[in-house]
Amino acid sequence: MEPIVALRLTIVKFTKIFKMRILFKSYYVLTLVNLCVFMAVALSDRASANQKFVVDSYIVVDLHSKKILSAREINKKRQVASLTKIATAVVVLDWAKVTGADLSQNIVIPESAISIGGPNQLKLRPGDLISIRDALYCSVLGSNNWTAEALAYHVGKNLLVRSGKNGDPVKEFVKHMNALAVDHGSRRTRFINPHGMDHYGKVPYSTASDIARLTIYAMEKAAFSFICSQEERKVSVVSIGGRRDFIVKNTNKILNVDGIDGVKTGLTSKAGPCLVVTAAKQPIVSELADGNKKVTPRRLVVVVLGASDRFGAARSLLLRGWQKFEVWNQSGRQIANRDELL
């Protein structure tokens, strides 16, 4: 019996050693795979950050400190297409807050929408009804010109009534858009309409720096930041034939890439491809000498105007922006002169 017992013990011991070797090899392979994946992502991020793109003007700025991290021709006046709708949405939200307006209230697509031009994605017609909330989603996510016009007409008409004046509701609304721009330091901006079309009449213009200022103000509003962060939204339109439902998709193709959670796309033949994105990282928590903790929020805004590849350029600028932010933050957040701030 003893030789049999010894043989069994030997087999058990050999089996344990064999299993340990398999586990070690598996762990080694998994570790190697994870390392390769990490290196691939790091190299991909570095390649994206260093890739060159043709961009007419751009700015990368820290939302909280207003520190400019990268810039090119930031004060050059040019067309910005549907980035205009950032201001449109903000004026509507500010008006709703002051007046207590219900965003579920229906508004009418006005006759003036016919003359806008551009795509009519929802096949809207004058007289159609859509809620203020859904019109905001259509304008910001889907970049719909007709719903932007409807918002301007409705709010502008209300503003005229409240002030006891007569006039064109859309023009009244645009006055408030321009007043908003001036109030927030965007003094090189002239809005002509609520949608950004620039193929007829007077030509609207803005700058990368002015759009960044308006975006920073817009992102302070929970409603706006939520709207522009959505990938899609179901909206309803009431026509003569009844109610129609649509899924409006966000035109921002890099939403949720590299932490991007907004903001707006724009495109016309004069403006070229334009884009505003913003992304946040976890705040930096550091302990002070007195034992208290300092929390440093981190959110960047990138504005790209007239880009050969707006999505690639915005992502590259964002990745480089984070690198520059970390260097600046670790060096004590020094500001040499006022020109470094937006």
Side-chain angles (χ1 to χ4, degrees):
M1 294 297 292
E2 289 184 2
I4 294 175
V5 172
L7 179 60
R8 285 178 178 175
L9 291 174
T10 302
I11 292 173
V12 170
K13 184 177 180 181
F14 176 78
T15 302
K16 287 182 178 181
I17 294 172
F18 182 71
K19 286 181 178 179
M20 289 179 64
R21 286 182 177 178
I22 291 176
L23 287 172
F24 177 78
K25 287 181 179 180
S26 299
Y27 174 79
Y28 176 78
V29 170
L30 287 172
T31 303
L32 186 60
V33 168
N34 289 335
L35 180 61
C36 289
V37 169
F38 173 80
M39 291 178 66
V41 171
L43 289 171
S44 175
D45 286 349
R46 183 176 297 177
S48 297
N50 294 331
Q51 193 170 350
K52 302 296 182 182
F53 297 93
V54 177
V55 183
D56 187 51
S57 61
Y58 63 80
I59 188 171
V60 182
V61 59
D62 173 40
L63 182 143
H64 299 282
S65 68
K66 312 298 188 297
K67 164 69 175 175
I68 298 173
L69 300 166
S70 294
R72 181 180 189 278
E73 298 283 4
I74 63 172
N75 295 323
K76 179 181 178 181
K77 294 179 180 179
R78 63 183 324 285
Q79 284 65 62
V80 297
S82 285
L83 303 190
T84 298
K85 296 184 179 84
I86 296 172
T88 302
V90 169
V91 171
V92 172
L93 292 171
D94 282 350
W95 164 83
K97 182 178 180 180
V98 170
T99 62
D102 184 357
L103 296 184
S104 63
Q105 173 188 354
N106 279 339
I107 60 176
V108 181
I109 303 297
E111 290 286 343
S112 59
I114 297 175
S115 62
I116 295 173
N120 181 7
Q121 302 96 324
L122 304 185
K123 301 190 184 309
L124 298 170
R125 292 171 293 184
D128 285 352
L129 299 176
I130 187 171
S131 72
I132 296 173
R133 182 179 290 104
D134 283 356
L136 284 167
Y137 276 104
C138 290
S139 301
V140 176
L141 265 62
S143 210
N144 193 294
N145 295 331
W146 285 52
T147 54
E149 184 83 358
L151 287 167
Y153 184 89
H154 179 81
V155 175
K157 186 176 181 179
N158 182 271
L159 291 169
L160 286 171
V161 170
R162 286 175 175 276
S163 61
K165 297 188 297 184
N166 295 317
D168 184 322
V170 176
K171 288 183 178 179
E172 180 67 18
F173 183 87
V174 173
K175 285 182 183 177
H176 285 261
M177 291 173 64
N178 285 314
L180 171 76
V182 172
D183 288 346
H184 292 278
S186 299
R187 301 181 183 279
R188 296 181 179 88
T189 294
R190 183 181 70 177
F191 295 120
I192 302 297
N193 55 58
H195 40 72
M197 294 297 287
D198 52 24
H199 65 289
Y200 63 92
K202 294 181 179 179
V203 179
Y205 59 79
S206 188
T207 67
S209 58
D210 278 4
I211 293 297
R213 292 184 181 96
L214 288 171
T215 300
I216 288 172
Y217 176 66
M219 290 301 293
E220 292 173 353
K221 300 181 175 300
F224 181 87
S225 62
F226 179 80
I227 289 171
C228 71
S229 70
Q230 301 303 294
E231 293 185 349
E232 62 182 32
R233 173 79 176 189
K234 181 181 178 180
V235 302
S236 300
V237 177
V238 179
S239 303
I240 294 177
R243 170 174 162 167
R244 296 175 293 148
D245 294 331
F246 302 90
I247 299 297
V248 176
K249 294 185 178 297
N250 200 318
T251 54
N252 184 356
K253 294 181 180 179
I254 53 175
L255 188 70
N256 297 325
V257 176
D258 298 324
I260 293 171
D261 54 8
V263 175
K264 187 74 191 76
T265 63
L267 175 64
T268 64
S269 58
K270 287 184 179 179
C274 301
L275 179 65
V276 179
V277 300
T278 182
K281 287 187 176 183
Q282 288 294 324
I284 299 172
V285 180
S286 54
E287 190 166 339
L288 302 176
D290 59 4
N292 291 321
K293 291 186 177 180
K294 178 183 177 183
V295 178
T296 305
R298 295 187 293 174
R299 177 175 286 278
L300 301 187
V301 173
V302 180
V303 179
V304 172
L305 305 180
S308 58
D309 175 2
R310 56 183 168 176
F311 298 112
R315 188 181 175 210
S316 176
L317 287 167
L318 177 64
L319 293 174
R320 278 191 288 161
W322 282 125
Q323 293 169 2
K324 292 183 177 182
F325 177 88
E326 297 305 331
V327 171
W328 172 67
N329 187 66
Q330 291 173 11
S331 63
R333 304 169 70 89
Q334 299 292 323
I335 302 293
N337 57 71
R338 180 64 182 80
D339 292 339
E340 294 182 19
L341 299 176
L342 183 63

